[in-house]
Amino acid sequence: MKALLRFIVGLALTVLVHLALVRWLPAAPRWADLFLVFLTYNAIGVSSLAGMAVGMVTGLAADAVSGNPFGLFGLAGTLLGYGIARLTQHIVIERAGSAFRLFVTSSVAHQALVVGLALLVLPQPKVPDWVAVLVRAASSGVLGVLVFGAGRSLRRRLGTWQQGRPSKVRWG
């Protein structure tokens, strides 16, 4: 239940930051994908079904605020969430370098999935230029490492705090 609440709060925060960023810098979504970073972070180490659910919900939220055809990011996110969950069941992501590679790879894979799906279903698909793909992948990697490090530090501090507090409440 805590994980679901954490996911909902994180998704709401991602949507709010995305909307604020688009308001101040309209070209920002072309260079950084906050939803992809959120999806990748939450799909690390979960079951395949949970990875698909994370990808679907995050992708549909991205569709809702991006102005793209509804369902395009949702389907791409579902496939990507499943892939990340399956991959991270077999590898361990502990260091910043491996986290960076995972976030960059997921960014490139997500963009390839979106373009592939757009070519299949849209009459006039937009294909991003390779510079935008590279910059978006690099920015996703950097943002992902920052989020990954902050989450690991927060979990470590919370664990230390929980170990230090008494297990029973004493009333006097």
Side-chain angles (χ1 to χ4, degrees), residues 108-133:
V108 172
H110 183 260
Q111 292 179 72
L113 284 168
V114 168
V115 168
L117 290 169
L119 289 172
L120 289 174
V121 299
L122 297 178
Q124 299 289 330
K126 295 179 196 173
V127 178
D129 59 343
W130 64 274
V131 174
V133 171

Side-chain angles (χ1 to χ4, degrees), residues 41-141:
Y41 179 75
N42 284 290
I44 293 174
V46 298
S47 70
S48 303
L49 183 62
M52 287 174 57
V54 163
M56 181 187 65
V57 171
T58 305
L60 290 175
D63 281 330
V65 298
S66 70
N68 287 324
F70 197 72
L72 187 65
F73 286 167
L75 183 55
T78 303
L79 295 171
L80 187 65
Y82 174 79
I84 292 168
R86 291 292 293 172
L87 178 69
T88 57
Q89 288 172 3
H90 300 289
I91 62 172
V92 177
I93 306 294
E94 283 292 323
R95 298 196 174 156
S98 56
F100 180 78
R101 285 189 294 275
L102 178 67
F103 281 96
V104 168
T105 304
S106 66
S107 176
V108 172
H110 183 260
Q111 292 179 72
L113 284 168
V114 168
V115 168
L117 290 169
L119 289 172
L120 289 174
V121 299
L122 297 178
Q124 299 289 330
K126 295 179 196 173
V127 178
D129 59 343
W130 64 274
V131 174
V133 171
L134 293 177
V135 169
R136 198 170 191 182
S139 68
S140 295

Side-chain angles (χ1 to χ4, degrees), residues 6 13 29 33 41 122 132 145 153:
R6 227 180 354 236
L13 185 62
D33 190 355
Y41 179 75
L122 297 178
V145 167
S153 175

